[in-house]
Amino acid sequence: MTDRLTSSTRILVTGAAGFIGYHLSERLAGDGLTVLGLDNLSPYYDVTLKQARLDRLARHGNFRFCRADLADGKSVEAAFDGFSPHIVVNLAAQAGVRYSLDHPHTYIDSNVMGFLNILEACRHGDVDHLVYASTSSVYGANTAMPFSVHQPADHPVSLYAASKKANEAMAHAYSHLYGIASTGLRFFTVYGPWGRPDMALFLFTDAILSGRAIDVFNNGHMRRDFTYIDDIVEGMVRVMAKAPQGDPQWNGDHPDPPSSSAPHRLYNIGNSQPVELLDMIESLERCLGKTAKKNMLPMQPGDVPATYADMGDLERDFGYAPKTPLDQGIRHFVDWYLDFYKKK
């Protein structure tokens, strides 16, 4: 692999109808790259929103869509065989901490079995680089801030987090066994236009405009490293273009968690500027010109009180530098929301 993407690079993006997958596919197709988007159009949230994203992607002649479920190994294999991707970006997953409390089997089917099918397809498909989504949730019970990839992350507090931690271990094993170059990205609270309806910003906007009260957990004293989608996509594109190699200095007597003698790496990808939930709500209220009614509630099971990304490794290796202030990012989201749902 070279350190840049060219028009001949074929990229398979799973979860292409999802929030991050849509934006990444839009960027790649807009840059002239050949993209195959794979998604099962899960009804976890409004499928019409997912279809609207796909309709926009269909404007690009170099984007194709395949409806398939990662848990269906034969469908995944067929997609790989018919496309022969150079790079695979796995963003398809069952997301959501709270949903995992009531639907645990869904996370194993999608996030574990589905990811195994991706790894097997990469193994047999001569893929140059696998980039896959992990999450800040893997830090779980960790309290040392900012969260660093050089810290152990062995105490997840939700099944969702555990399933993504399993992905990291599985990817490393395949890198070690079969030489598959793979990079895991731990996302920190991504937001922006075309966002997920189950995320706080979307839920709050809908409730405030409808005059309903919003549920504010931990009495608003949650802190999140909100990261705007365009900054996330820029970081992903940089990472995709440079497949990792094994680190000859890696020492099994003193193992460094994000690196390896195998071609596998882990990075945080966030904003490194955590914001208290109440401050985010105030910014949203300013954009909407309306005050929120608040239900102040205790911490929910599986949640963590704060996330804060140490971005040193991604900055060093890829020059990653998020640029979007929270107020500006929320304004972009609100403008999209009002237009898409035709609300005044």
Side-chain angles (χ1 to χ4, degrees):
M1 287 293 297
T2 64
D3 285 1
R4 69 188 193 90
L5 306 176
T6 70
S7 59
S8 62
T9 305
R10 293 187 301 277
I11 304 170
L12 189 153
V13 178
T14 74
F19 172 39
I20 300 176
Y22 158 69
H23 278 279
L24 178 64
S25 298
E26 183 76 65
R27 163 71 182 270
L28 295 172
D31 286 349
L33 300 165
T34 301
V35 181
L36 175 65
L38 188 152
D39 203 292
N40 70 349
L41 298 180
S42 161
Y44 169 63
Y45 64 79
D46 185 10
V47 175
T48 60
L49 176 59
K50 297 181 179 183
Q51 187 59 57
R53 295 173 182 143
L54 289 176
D55 290 344
R56 289 176 61 85
L57 291 173
R59 299 173 304 165
H60 300 283
N62 49 332
F63 175 85
R64 290 192 288 129
F65 176 66
C66 173
R67 183 167 184 173
D69 194 317
L70 293 195
D72 182 350
K74 292 188 181 300
S75 294
V76 173
E77 181 181 350
F80 274 70
D81 288 346
F83 187 61
S84 299
H86 299 110
I87 298 173
V88 175
V89 184
N90 185 57
L91 298 170
Q94 179 57 60
V97 169
R98 296 181 187 117
Y99 191 76
S100 69
L101 301 177
D102 298 319
H103 303 84
H105 293 90
T106 304
Y107 289 76
I108 302 304
D109 292 342
S110 178
N111 299 5
V112 179
M113 293 304 299
F115 191 59
L116 175 61
N117 290 332
I118 289 292
L119 289 170
E120 278 290 293
C122 289
R123 171 189 174 190
H124 296 292
D126 197 26
V127 169
D128 294 319
H129 191 191
L130 166 65
V131 179
Y132 64 94
S134 187
T135 172
S136 61
S137 295
V138 300
Y139 289 106
N142 288 22
T143 55
M145 298 284 176
F147 290 148
S148 168
V149 289
H150 299 280
Q151 303 167 353
D154 298 326
H155 297 87
V157 296
S158 69
L159 185 64
Y160 167 64
S163 72
K164 302 305 280 184
K165 180 65 176 175
N167 286 176
E168 296 178 0
M170 294 163 70
H172 181 269
Y174 269 66
S175 292
H176 173 77
L177 290 169
Y178 309 114
I180 298 171
S182 58
T183 304
L185 296 174
R186 293 174 175 172
F187 293 107
F188 280 71
T189 314
V190 188
Y191 75 100
W194 297 94
R196 279 177 24 211
D198 62 322
M199 296 292 284
L201 182 58
F202 200 115
L203 291 169
F204 290 173
T205 299
D206 183 64
I208 293 170
L209 289 175
S210 301
R212 302 191 313 273
I214 62 175
D215 290 337
V216 183
F217 294 106
N218 201 31
N219 296 302
H221 300 304
M222 315 275 277
R223 297 173 71 237
R224 290 291 181 266
D225 201 348
F226 293 100
T227 314
Y228 188 64
I229 184 62
D230 289 358
D231 293 327
I232 288 285
V233 168
E234 176 61 29
M236 293 180 70
V237 170
R238 294 184 182 214
V239 168
M240 288 166 56
K242 187 176 181 180
Q245 298 178 343
D247 181 0
Q249 304 301 316
W250 192 84
N251 185 341
D253 288 337
H254 305 284
D256 186 22
S259 61
S260 175
S261 57
H264 178 263
R265 295 293 180 276
L266 291 170
Y267 293 95
N268 289 333
I269 182 164
N271 195 40
S272 202
Q273 294 186 20
V275 174
E276 190 156 283
L277 186 57
L278 289 174
D279 292 333
M280 183 274 271
I281 293 169
E282 287 182 4
S283 178
L284 178 59
E285 289 172 330
R286 288 194 295 272
C287 287
L288 293 173
K290 298 188 71 173
T291 300
K293 303 173 186 175
K294 304 178 184 70
N295 290 327
M296 307 304 282
L297 298 171
M299 180 81 80
Q300 289 286 286
D303 258 346
V304 296
T307 63
Y308 177 5
D310 180 338
M311 295 304 306
D313 286 29
L314 202 63
E315 293 170 359
R316 179 196 66 216
D317 293 348
F318 297 97
Y320 174 77
K323 300 177 180 178
T324 310
L326 183 65
D327 284 348
Q328 179 181 327
I330 289 179
R331 167 52 62 192
H332 291 328
F333 171 81
V334 167
D335 288 346
W336 165 78
Y337 183 94
L338 294 175
D339 177 67
F340 185 77
Y341 291 101
K342 300 297 186 287
K343 294 189 177 183
K344 300 298 183 182

